[in-house]
Amino acid sequence: MDKEQQGSLKPGVNRRTFLLGTAGAVPLLTHTFGTPLLAAGQEGGERLGQAAHAAGLISRQRNPDNLEFPFSTLNTFLTPNEQFYVRTHFGVPEIQTKAWKLTVEGAVSQPLQISYDELRDMPSVNVTALLECSGNSRVFLKPPQSSIRWELGGVSNAEWTGVKLADLLVRAGVQDQAVDVILEGADTGEFHDPDPKTPGVISYARSLPVQKALRPEVILAYRMNGKDLSPAHGYPVRAIVAGWYGMASVKWLSRIILTDRPFDGYFQTFMYAVWERRHGLPTLVPVSEIQVKSEIARPSLHQVIPARSHYRVVGAAWAGETEVTKVELSTDGGRSWQAGRLIDQAVPYAWRLWDYDWETPAQAGHYTLMARATDARGRSQPMAREKDRRDAMITHVLPVEVEVR
Ligand SMILES: Nc1nc2c(c(=O)[nH]1)N[C@H]1C(S)=C(S)[C@@H](COP(=O)(O)O)O[C@H]1N2
Ligand SMILES: [Mo]
């Protein structure tokens, strides 16, 4: 076995402690995969730095910025802030914390306004949660879709610090008739294209039902992995709606409005809505809970892998409001499946890293790898694309073709 192959087998577990928030020390298991295996033929000559850790983001669009986490460099349980994917529709509003105010209004008995300092003085919690854009993996859809064509990195995992939304809602006094909580961002803009147009300039806004808004995993976050939010990720304050697709986690939060009927805003009808069949009739429903999914980080597409060796296949899997119970791997295009190893323990709302020791075949040629996750509710990833989901919630099994040589 050569040096490269041995390197690829090292488990590289790295445990450290994260100091976060007013809650004090929060011990966290932080698994690393170690240095990714170099493709055959790359072993000689100079190395281009410390590969994985130095990698930045991949541009899918600039101004407004839509930037992808380079998923093939996945190494750690928490995504470094500099590598956390960015999804913006209108651009980043400039907000001074001194001037920032958050209002809670609508169907509440005591409308209120809170400053940044007041919010930071409230009891805080830490929630480890992944965000996945509901369009993540859109590049794999046929026919090609017009919105941001994410590959595998429209997803990242962080530890967020903030105040429970429930604490603010209780303070404001939710009235009985309230059913929906609208979260509004300070960013505004207008779409002329694609259709339909926005009704002039609108702000980014999304709602969630009161029952979800009152859950402890829904927070108003001001820190991400122990640092104040950066402008791109919602400075000064954003919502984190753990377990739901990213579009619900409104950044640059400015207003919270309780309403006595469901909100049908642009970003939950024309965008981020899917068909659901009720009584045989397709009806449009807002995208909400993250569905079970796994992704292979390494090997990546068309990677060359030595024959008759051990290759450590690595990736991550997640399941929204429930847990991943199993990740299975196929190296023969889905004919047979073997169990992958789930690493560390499950953390609610976060992803779970996994690996699989692939004994590569003696026979040179092209091989198709697949990963398929199952959750605690017994749901597995479908093999084929679910058409009713339009261009969102892409969870079918994604093949990775590699070359064994
Ligand atoms: N105000 C505001 N909030 C927003 C968005 C936005 O454009 N404006 N994009 C949403 C979408 S679609 C996603 S996937 C997440 C991405 O969060 P991130 O950029 O911190 O990764 O933010 C959500 N919150
Ligand atoms: Mo998104």
Side-chain angles (χ1 to χ4, degrees):
M1 193 188 281
D2 70 32
K3 264 214 301 260
E4 303 304 334
Q5 292 163 30
Q6 272 168 11
S8 75
L9 280 173
K10 267 203 254 121
V13 179
N14 177 6
R15 279 148 208 267
R16 61 193 166 105
T17 300
F18 239 82
L19 290 172
L20 267 189
T22 49
V26 180
L28 211 84
L29 296 179
T30 313
H31 190 94
T32 44
F33 283 135
T35 313
L37 181 72
L38 292 176
Q42 261 188 296
E43 50 268 63
E46 192 183 337
R47 292 193 185 195
L48 298 176
Q50 276 297 350
H53 290 288
L57 290 154
I58 301 163
S59 308
R60 294 283 166 229
Q61 187 183 310
R62 301 303 312 266
N63 306 307
D65 282 357
N66 287 289
L67 312 172
E68 174 157 350
F69 165 49
F71 195 76
S72 65
T73 70
L74 177 71
N75 250 339
T76 53
F77 175 67
L78 295 179
T79 312
N81 289 358
E82 319 74 65
Q83 282 192 297
F84 200 102
Y85 84 98
V86 174
R87 173 74 176 106
T88 38
H89 294 79
F90 297 136
V92 178
E94 225 178 88
I95 301 171
Q96 312 293 332
T97 46
K98 287 262 173 290
W100 182 85
K101 287 257 185 293
L102 177 66
T103 59
V104 183
E105 57 189 69
V108 290
S109 33
Q110 186 97 57
L112 56 88
Q113 201 174 55
I114 187 166
S115 72
Y116 185 65
D117 289 342
E118 286 167 330
L119 189 81
R120 292 201 59 150
D121 282 344
M122 288 177 68
S124 71
V125 292
N126 297 314
V127 174
T128 302
L130 108 165
L131 292 186
E132 182 185 15
C133 186
S134 69
N136 185 34
S137 312
R138 194 177 274 137
V139 75
F140 301 105
L141 296 187
K142 276 184 283 182
Q145 306 291 309
S146 57
S147 194
I148 309 294
R149 286 207 275 273
W150 303 105
E151 204 184 284
L152 297 172
V155 60
S156 302
N157 191 52
E159 181 160 44
W160 310 91
T161 306
V163 169
K164 280 188 211 144
L165 173 56
D167 289 353
L168 265 198
L169 294 182
V170 166
R171 230 208 246 189
V174 177
Q175 294 185 331
D176 288 347
Q177 76 272 25
V179 297
D180 231 11
V181 180
I182 306 172
L183 306 175
E184 185 184 11
D187 50 331
T188 59
E190 190 170 6
F191 296 147
H192 304 281
D193 198 42
D195 54 347
K197 293 178 173 141
T198 56
V201 173
I202 61 168
S203 52
Y204 185 86
R206 255 310 277 210
S207 77
L208 53 160
V210 170
Q211 307 92 279
K212 176 70 179 179
L214 289 173
R215 290 187 53 88
E217 71 272 16
V218 179
I219 66 167
L220 309 180
Y222 44 78
R223 298 175 92 190
M224 175 180 183
N225 293 330
K227 293 204 190 76
D228 287 351
L229 289 181
S230 67
H233 292 294
Y235 180 86
V237 178
R238 74 172 304 165
I240 290 295
V241 181
W244 279 35
Y245 283 102
M247 78 279 121
S249 292
V250 175
K251 302 191 274 190
W252 314 293
L253 208 55
S254 63
R255 205 156 58 119
I256 297 171
I257 311 147
L258 284 96
T259 59
D260 60 5
R261 53 183 161 156
F263 176 59
D264 290 321
Y266 189 92
F267 297 97
Q268 54 204 68
T269 50
F270 295 129
M271 283 178 87
Y272 307 120
V274 292
W275 296 114
E276 209 173 272
R277 290 181 193 256
R278 296 182 186 163
H279 310 285
L281 294 175
T283 184
L284 214 47
V285 296
V287 170
S288 57
E289 205 198 316
I290 292 176
Q291 305 295 304
V292 65
K293 181 168 176 176
S294 57
E295 292 187 352
I296 297 173
R298 293 187 291 279
S300 49
L301 184 63
H302 292 174
Q303 191 170 321
V304 177
I305 296 169
R308 277 188 229 277
S309 66
H310 282 268
Y311 183 88
R312 188 179 181 214
V313 181
V314 298
W318 52 91
E321 294 180 344
T322 182
E323 259 178 38
V324 172
T325 50
K326 164 168 94 167
V327 174
E328 298 162 288
L329 271 290
S330 174
T331 56
D332 57 8
R335 274 186 290 280
S336 65
W337 296 86
Q338 291 80 38
R341 180 178 70 106
L342 297 174
I343 291 167
D344 289 342
Q345 71 272 53
V347 175
Y349 311 107
W351 63 25
R352 186 93 185 254
L353 304 182
W354 56 260
D355 67 3
Y356 173 72
D357 175 22
W358 183 25
E359 250 181 79
T360 67
Q363 178 83 39
H366 293 272
Y367 289 83
T368 300
L369 272 55
M370 294 176 174
R372 179 175 69 189
T374 299
D375 71 17
R377 296 180 194 158
R379 297 174 302 188
S380 293
Q381 292 179 254
M383 292 302 292
R385 171 65 182 152
E386 295 181 349
K387 288 275 194 290
D388 281 351
R389 292 179 178 178
R390 301 166 84 203
D391 70 344
M393 300 170 72
I394 297 135
T395 66
H396 63 287
V397 170
L398 301 168
V400 176
E401 292 96 16
V402 298
E403 191 184 337
V404 170
R405 209 194 258 172

